């Protein structure tokens, strides 16, 4: 995926030379609605959804984010494909100058991809099992088949595709290996991350990761040796012909294997905006009241990003120790945090995106 050169360079220079944070990535929750019922997600359990920004309000957000320095526009949900005006959103993002990435469960991808393929650079599809267990795990019959069809169509259109697997206590090493080989067969990327269960005491955390006691007992990774085996396998295959397929960086894989702590930077290279315009950090636990920094409908995005509260949060997050203690290795946070304190990780990341 090619990034807007001007914004990409601004971001790199500011973050790693001047040490003045500028976001590379805008993660936008376009809707909270979802057509799946994943065990490890609380979106579908919501009794009511927050109001969604209108198309005009999203356009203003995109203008502000691009002017701030963002180069990548990531559309998340809920299930992003349930938003009917998604093609108009992606079209405006491309016209503004963004690279565009869509996160989806893939169920509606075959039905809708023809509406926006010209304005989509990459798509990441969640696939956890290579068989009917995936449909059961996500509570949606026929999901695996449609997701695979959608990935094939994306590749036919020349769109970069990735298959992401959340590893749980229900997985075996063979499950992950079969998905890896499926991804290679489909000519798409493959990434993994361990399931993070948000402790109930973190009441301001992400909806993702909200589990009942019964669901937690079913899904929890009680034996970290499974993750070690998965990562050893991925590191082996990266050295033996699968470097193009496996999207996790070596730095991330080794971090998770060792279940080590790392310095978290969830508000440096990225920012998150909820469906109602609330700006937050990309922190699954919502630590330090980071779930609400302001709202783009009421405040300027630049003012929120450079606010005293945001600067305070950046300092506080450097003290977070949830990784080693609770297995918090959210892919979109850990991968983008490692380059700040490991030069090898920065090089690894540059190789990955160029």
């Amino acid at each position: 995926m090619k990034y807007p050169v001007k914004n990409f360079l601004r971001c790199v220079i500011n973050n790693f030379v001047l040490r003045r944070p500028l976001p590379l990535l805008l993660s936008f929750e376009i809707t909270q609605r979802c057509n799946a019922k994943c065990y490890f997600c609380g979106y579908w359990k919501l009794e009511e959804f927050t109001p969604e920004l209108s198309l005009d309000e999203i356009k203003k957000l995109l203008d502000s984010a691009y002017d701030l320095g963002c180069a990548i526009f990531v559309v998340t949900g809920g299930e992003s494909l349930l938003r009917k005006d998604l093609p108009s959103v992606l079209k405006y993002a491309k016209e503004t100058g963004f690279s565009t990435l869509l996160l989806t469960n893939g169920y509606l991808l075959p039905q809708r991809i023809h509406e926006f393929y010209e304005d989509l650079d990459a798509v990441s599809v969640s696939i956890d099992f290579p068989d009917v267990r995936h449909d059961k795990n996500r509570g949606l019959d026929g999901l695996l088949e449609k997701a695979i069809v959608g990935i094939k169509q994306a590749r036919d259109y020349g769109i970069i595709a990735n298959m992401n697997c959340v590893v749980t206590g229900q997985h075996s090493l063979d499950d992950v290996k079969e998905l890896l080989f499926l991804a290679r067969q489909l000519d798409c990327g493959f990434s993994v991350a361990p399931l993070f269960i948000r402790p109930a005491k973190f009441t301001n955390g992400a909806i993702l990761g909200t589990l009942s006691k019964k669901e937690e007992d079913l899904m929890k990774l009680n034996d970290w040796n499974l993750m070690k085996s998965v990562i050893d396998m991925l590191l082996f295959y990266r050295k033996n012909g699968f470097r193009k397929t496996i999207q996790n960086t070596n730095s991330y894989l080794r971090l998770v294997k060792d279940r080590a702590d790392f310095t978290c930077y969830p508000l440096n290279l990225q920012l998150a905006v909820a469906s109602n315009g609330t700006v937050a950090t990309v922190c699954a636990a919502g630590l330090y009241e980071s779930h609400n920094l302001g709202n783009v409908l009421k405040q300027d995005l630049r003012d929120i990003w450079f606010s005293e509260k945001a600067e305070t949060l950046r300092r506080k997050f450097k003290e977070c120790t949830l990784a080693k203690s609770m297995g918090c290795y959210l892919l979109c946070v850990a991968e983008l945090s490692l380059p700040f304190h490991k030069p090898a990780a920065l090089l690894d990341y540059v190789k990955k995106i160029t």
Side-chain angles (χ1 to χ4, degrees), residues 93-341:
K94 287 299 293 182
E95 290 173 347
T96 303
F98 283 98
S99 294
T100 53
L101 168 61
L102 178 70
L103 306 187
T104 174
N105 62 37
Y107 188 81
L108 295 174
L109 200 55
Q111 178 181 329
R112 298 206 61 192
I113 193 170
H114 69 279
E115 300 175 36
F116 50 75
Y117 70 90
E118 293 181 323
D119 297 308
L120 184 63
D121 292 304
V123 59
S124 183
V125 182
S126 301
I127 298 183
D128 300 326
F129 291 97
D131 49 43
V132 294
R133 287 174 296 165
H134 179 63
D135 296 1
K136 182 178 180 181
N137 197 45
R138 300 259 172 183
L140 192 56
D141 291 341
L143 176 57
L144 177 62
E145 181 180 357
K146 290 189 177 183
I148 290 174
V149 171
I151 290 173
K152 289 179 178 178
Q153 290 177 332
R155 295 302 297 129
D156 288 343
Y157 281 127
I159 298 168
I160 297 169
N162 184 68
M163 181 188 302
N164 185 65
C165 170
V166 177
V167 180
T168 72
Q170 293 183 314
H171 282 83
S172 69
L173 183 62
D174 286 340
D175 289 331
V176 182
K177 182 178 180 180
E178 192 169 341
L179 287 175
L180 172 63
F181 276 77
L182 173 61
R184 192 183 197 193
Q185 178 185 339
L186 295 173
D187 188 31
C188 78
F190 179 71
S191 58
V192 300
L195 173 69
F196 172 65
I197 299 174
R198 177 174 64 80
K201 65 180 180 180
F202 298 128
T203 56
N204 294 322
I207 299 171
L208 183 69
T210 307
L211 278 74
S212 68
K213 182 63 170 62
K214 180 180 178 181
E215 292 164 342
E216 181 175 338
D217 291 341
L218 181 67
M219 305 292 288
K220 189 176 182 180
L221 266 168
N222 292 308
D223 186 1
W224 204 255
N225 286 322
L226 171 61
M227 280 309 304
K228 290 182 178 180
S229 297
V230 166
I231 289 167
D232 281 339
M233 177 188 70
L234 294 178
L235 289 171
F236 171 81
Y237 279 112
R238 280 203 77 177
K239 293 180 180 179
N240 292 275
F242 282 73
R243 178 169 291 275
K244 177 183 174 183
T245 304
I246 299 170
Q247 295 298 296
N248 299 101
T249 61
N250 285 345
S251 299
Y252 175 81
L253 292 174
R254 293 189 181 106
L255 173 75
V256 177
K257 178 183 176 180
D258 295 339
R259 191 159 181 168
D261 274 326
F262 67 99
T263 305
C264 189
Y265 290 81
L267 194 60
N268 284 66
L269 285 178
Q270 57 192 313
L271 63 89
V273 178
S275 58
N276 64 353
T278 298
V279 179
T281 65
V282 188
C283 172
L287 295 180
Y288 315 122
E289 300 294 319
S290 64
H291 64 292
N292 189 345
L293 280 75
N295 192 290
V296 295
L297 295 179
K298 301 175 182 179
Q299 300 160 264
D300 182 80
L301 185 61
R302 180 178 292 274
D303 291 340
I304 295 173
W305 180 260
F306 290 113
S307 66
E308 182 178 344
K309 182 175 183 178
E311 291 298 326
T312 300
L313 284 172
R314 292 184 183 104
R315 292 192 294 271
K316 285 186 175 181
F317 270 109
K318 293 178 182 180
E319 303 169 3
C320 174
T321 58
L322 289 187
K324 187 174 183 178
S325 62
M326 296 184 181
C328 182
Y329 298 102
L330 191 64
L331 190 63
C332 62
V333 179
E335 282 277 25
L336 292 178
S337 293
L338 288 174
F340 283 97
H341 57 100

Side-chain angles (χ1 to χ4, degrees), residues 16-34:
F16 300 109
V17 179
L18 302 178
R19 298 295 179 180
R20 182 174 184 264
L22 272 185
L24 174 70
L25 183 152
L26 166 64
S27 177
F28 176 53
E29 176 195 70
I30 198 168
T31 183
Q32 289 187 337
R33 293 172 289 135
C34 192

